[in-house]
């Protein structure tokens, strides 16, 4: 009798036994009510922000991880249940990381079959002539995430352009966005701070990016995938342990343990930032080399790629240190900057 009295009942349906506590609201609910609440919240975000228009061709950025796998599953389900009228497809990037990306892409191929969605894979090797394994051999583990972040963003856009989609959706969750806001504050990056909390970015470009999971906690995504028994790849990138973002992530997790709503509060703070009208913002243009959107004559990817091809991988990262015993390398980097505009277009042409 005592055991029965200790059984907690779902606070939403008041019928089934509670099987989990939502990290976001701390409600004790059953799995069925959790599924409904999780999916309905995402549906409301999509509707209230008008993320899609009926007939849109939408590419889902698929890495095989928990976020993109749950996004593909939920978006496919909502598209059927609420008749969005979307034409969905999966878009993956092969960075060329042995023992990580090759394994995760196997998961993506299984998701393609499970959800009945077409799949397009673009690779760093085809686009840039380099794999991340090759880049790490040149740059080391300190700045490798800079290369991967820049190249991956452009690879997704180029893959989306190849598919001729109207929208690109990514699995960035509330934790990711809170981390990005915090990182941009720490860096004093006003240009990115003004747009990193937006649910839709790139509206002035050819293919806008949407983040349906903007207010969805990472823990709840994991719980949804676990209870639904979804097929996803859970190993972290082997090159990411030293990433600057990792420190922000740990700080966010500490805050969440003290106050679960801290994640949403940081996002709300980011939304409420106002940039002074006197602050000079970079003007968007196009890269003279590859045609990608850029505020400089050459986009960041072309600058980084030029450095790799010239044997100067640090060319596009930070400033050279003159007078530290590396005079020859600094002179080469200086000449590289001066002659960068005269270089012929490389393998970035799409």
């Amino acid at each position: 009798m005592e055991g029965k009295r200790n059984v907690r009942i779902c606070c939403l349906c008041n019928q089934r036994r509670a099987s989990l506590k939502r990290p976001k609201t701390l409600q004790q609910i059953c799995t069925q009510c959790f599924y409904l609440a999780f999916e309905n919240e995402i549906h409301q975000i999509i509707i209230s922000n008008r993320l899609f228009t009926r007939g849109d061709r939408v590419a889902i950025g698929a890495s095989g991880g928990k976020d993109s796998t749950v996004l593909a599953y939920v978006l496919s389900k909502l598209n059927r249940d609420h008749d969005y009228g979307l034409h969905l497809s999966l878009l993956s990037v092969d960075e060329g990381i042995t023992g990580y990306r090759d394994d995760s892409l196997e998961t993506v191929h299984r998701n393609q079959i499970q959800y009945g969605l077409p799949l397009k894979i673009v690779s760093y090797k085809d686009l840039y002539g380099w794999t991340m394994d090759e880049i790490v051999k040149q740059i080391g583990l300190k700045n490798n995430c800079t290369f991967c972040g820049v190249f991956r963003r452009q690879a997704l856009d180029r893959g989306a352009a190849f598919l001729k989609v109207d929208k690109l959706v990514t699995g960035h969750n509330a934790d990711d966005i809170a981390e990005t806001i915090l990182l941009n504050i720490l860096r004093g990056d006003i240009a990115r701070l003004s747009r990193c909390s937006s649910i839709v970015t790139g509206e002035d470009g050819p293919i806008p990016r949407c983040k349906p999971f903007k207010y969805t906690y990472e823990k709840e995504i994991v719980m949804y995938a676990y209870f639904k028994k979804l097929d996803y790849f859970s190993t972290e990138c082997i090159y990411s342990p030293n990433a600057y973002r990792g420190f922000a992530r740990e700080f966010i997790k500490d805050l969440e343990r003290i106050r679960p709503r801290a994640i949403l509060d940081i996002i709300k703070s980011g939304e409420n930032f106002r940039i002074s009208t006197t602050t000079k913002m970079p003007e968007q243009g196009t890269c003279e080399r590859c045609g990608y959107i850029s505020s400089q004559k050459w986009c960041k990817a072309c600058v980084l790629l030029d450095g790799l091809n010239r044997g100067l991988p640090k060319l596009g990262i930070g400033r050279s240190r003159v007078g530290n015993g590396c005079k020859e390398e600094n002179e080469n980097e200086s000449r590289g900057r001066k002659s960068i505009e005269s270089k012929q277009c490389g393998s970035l042409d799409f």
Side-chain angles (χ1 to χ4, degrees):
M1 292 296 293
E2 184 178 349
K4 290 185 178 180
R5 283 198 297 269
N6 290 332
V7 173
R8 294 187 180 275
I9 302 300
C10 173
C11 67
L12 295 182
C13 67
N14 293 317
Q15 295 178 358
R16 292 179 288 269
R17 179 176 179 174
S19 54
L20 60 97
K21 179 187 286 187
R22 289 195 68 182
K24 190 176 186 178
T25 62
L26 302 183
Q27 293 174 314
Q28 298 201 34
I29 58 178
C30 64
T31 53
Q32 293 303 314
C33 285
F34 172 61
Y35 298 153
L36 290 173
F38 184 90
E39 294 164 5
N40 187 58
E41 286 177 8
I42 296 167
H43 170 63
Q44 293 303 321
I45 292 298
I46 290 172
I47 297 301
S48 60
N49 290 276
R50 299 178 181 178
L51 296 187
F52 309 117
T53 302
R54 188 174 187 81
D56 274 350
R57 294 170 57 87
V58 179
I60 303 170
S63 66
K66 63 184 184 312
D67 298 316
S68 62
T69 298
V70 173
L71 178 62
Y73 177 86
V74 171
L75 199 53
S76 297
K77 186 175 187 300
L78 294 178
N79 190 37
R80 293 192 305 269
D81 294 349
H82 298 281
D83 192 24
Y84 291 162
L86 305 179
H87 304 284
L88 303 175
S89 60
L90 300 176
L91 173 60
S92 294
V93 177
D94 182 2
E95 299 94 340
I97 304 176
T98 305
Y100 168 66
R101 184 55 70 209
D102 47 357
D103 291 339
S104 69
L105 285 176
E106 292 181 10
T107 304
V108 175
H109 281 292
R110 292 196 298 271
N111 291 158
Q112 174 193 10
I113 298 170
Q114 292 160 355
Y115 308 146
L117 300 176
L119 169 64
K120 170 66 179 176
I121 300 176
V122 294
S123 73
Y124 283 9
K125 190 67 174 179
D126 291 339
L127 290 176
Y128 312 117
W130 292 77
T131 65
M132 272 309 298
D133 287 340
E134 294 168 342
I135 291 172
V136 170
K137 286 181 181 178
Q138 293 290 321
I139 192 69
L141 291 172
K142 187 175 181 180
N143 294 305
N144 59 290
C145 287
T146 298
F147 283 84
C148 196
V150 172
F151 286 170
R152 181 177 176 79
R153 179 176 181 81
Q154 188 170 125
L156 279 172
D157 283 340
R158 291 184 180 278
F162 179 87
L163 291 172
K164 298 179 180 177
V165 298
D166 303 296
K167 303 280 175 60
L168 172 63
V169 296
T170 60
H172 290 97
N173 56 52
D175 301 56
D176 296 328
I177 294 173
E179 290 163 13
T180 303
I181 291 171
L182 180 60
L183 281 173
N184 287 326
I185 291 174
L186 294 174
R187 290 169 176 160
D189 196 334
I190 301 300
R192 286 190 176 88
L193 185 59
S194 64
R195 63 176 182 268
C196 67
S197 59
S198 299
I199 195 168
V200 179
T201 57
E203 292 175 287
D204 53 344
I207 304 174
R209 291 188 176 210
C210 308
K211 293 171 279 205
F213 284 173
K214 177 183 175 180
Y215 301 106
T216 307
Y217 278 30
E218 181 180 46
K219 286 181 180 178
E220 298 204 349
I221 292 173
V222 173
M223 292 168 70
Y224 187 90
Y226 172 77
F227 285 111
K228 283 283 188 178
K229 295 181 172 57
L230 299 185
D231 183 6
Y232 69 93
F233 185 76
S234 58
T235 303
E236 292 292 329
C237 176
I238 59 177
Y239 296 138
S240 67
N242 297 320
Y244 184 36
R245 176 177 286 270
F247 297 100
R249 181 176 296 116
E250 288 302 314
F251 180 65
I252 295 292
K253 296 301 181 188
D254 289 340
L255 288 177
E256 185 187 10
R257 279 190 284 270
I258 299 170
R259 188 168 182 270
R261 190 175 168 78
I263 291 174
L264 293 179
D265 289 341
I266 292 174
I267 294 175
K268 184 61 67 176
S269 297
E271 292 172 342
N272 290 333
F273 273 114
R274 294 293 179 266
I275 306 303
S276 170
T277 55
T278 60
T279 301
K280 186 177 181 180
M281 303 296 286
E283 295 181 5
Q284 295 286 11
T286 55
C287 174
E288 291 182 354
R289 185 186 188 191
C290 69
Y292 188 70
I293 188 169
S294 174
S295 58
Q296 305 293 328
K297 288 187 177 181
W298 277 32
C299 68
K300 187 67 173 177
C302 282
V303 173
L304 292 174
L305 185 60
D306 182 72
L308 286 171
N309 291 334
R310 290 164 54 80
L312 301 170
K314 296 183 180 180
L315 183 66
I317 299 176
R319 299 176 180 177
S320 60
R321 298 178 181 177
V322 180
N324 287 345
C326 301
K327 183 177 180 181
E328 183 178 348
E329 181 178 344
N330 288 319
E331 287 177 352
N332 287 336
E333 289 193 10
S334 178
R335 286 196 297 271
R337 289 191 181 93
K338 291 177 182 177
S339 63
I340 196 169
E341 296 175 20
S342 65
K343 291 296 173 185
Q344 293 182 354
C345 188
S347 59
L348 269 173
D349 288 331
F350 196 79

